[in-house]
Amino acid sequence: QVQLVESGGGLVQAGDSLTLSCAATGLTFSRYTMAWFRQGPGKEREFVACNSRRTGSILYADSVKGRFTISRDNAKNTVILQMNSLKPEDSAVYYCAASAGVIVSQMRSQSGYDYWGQGTQVTVSS
């Protein structure tokens, strides 16, 4: 049974940094593309970043490029999202997602992912 468990969310001020972690169990982690999505209040869930060891792809949403960094520790079955220079518009529930076979052209789409975590809340105050 695949489980993705996010942690690290919280309340911070604009300009601060925060690190999110997603621990994965029940899958061969190194074979999976791992991604972060987020859903702000009243908004649709949107792509944030992904990291695919299989294809070598690391992608970011334009809104976070240069501020967020996604990395993975295959030994610990963990994917990390380092978030710097946070803005109030980054406030959202952040979800971890995993896919065994998503192709590069679908990596920014929710439909490309098979497994999801329960989410962790990030709130950035101005």
Side-chain angles (χ1 to χ4, degrees):
Q1 180 181 359
V2 175
Q3 282 193 317
L4 304 176
V5 179
E6 302 96 336
S7 61
L11 172 63
V12 297
Q13 293 187 335
D16 285 351
S17 298
L18 202 60
T19 303
L20 304 183
S21 297
C22 172
T25 58
L27 52 73
T28 305
F29 183 76
S30 62
R31 297 180 182 176
Y32 278 71
T33 296
M34 302 300 297
W36 289 94
F37 286 75
R38 67 186 182 185
Q39 186 167 15
K43 298 181 180 180
E44 294 187 355
R45 193 173 299 188
E46 63 176 2
F47 170 80
V48 176
C50 70
N51 184 315
S52 175
R53 184 168 180 264
R54 177 173 57 85
T55 66
S57 301
I58 298 178
L59 305 177
Y60 295 95
D62 288 344
S63 59
V64 307
K65 199 173 295 183
R67 299 188 298 122
F68 290 12
T69 302
I70 186 171
S71 61
R72 59 193 297 157
D73 186 337
N74 290 326
K76 296 182 178 179
N77 285 10
T78 301
V79 60
I80 305 293
L81 186 68
Q82 176 65 43
M83 306 186 294
N84 298 328
S85 302
L86 282 162
K87 305 174 181 180
E89 51 263 44
D90 293 319
S91 297
V93 177
Y94 282 71
Y95 296 92
C96 177
S99 173
V102 62
I103 58 177
V104 176
S105 61
Q106 292 296 314
M107 285 182 180
R108 299 174 185 268
S109 173
Q110 294 183 62
S111 62
Y113 294 85
D114 308 304
Y115 303 102
W116 293 84
Q118 80 288 353
T120 186
Q121 177 71 49
V122 172
T123 304
V124 184
S125 64
S126 57

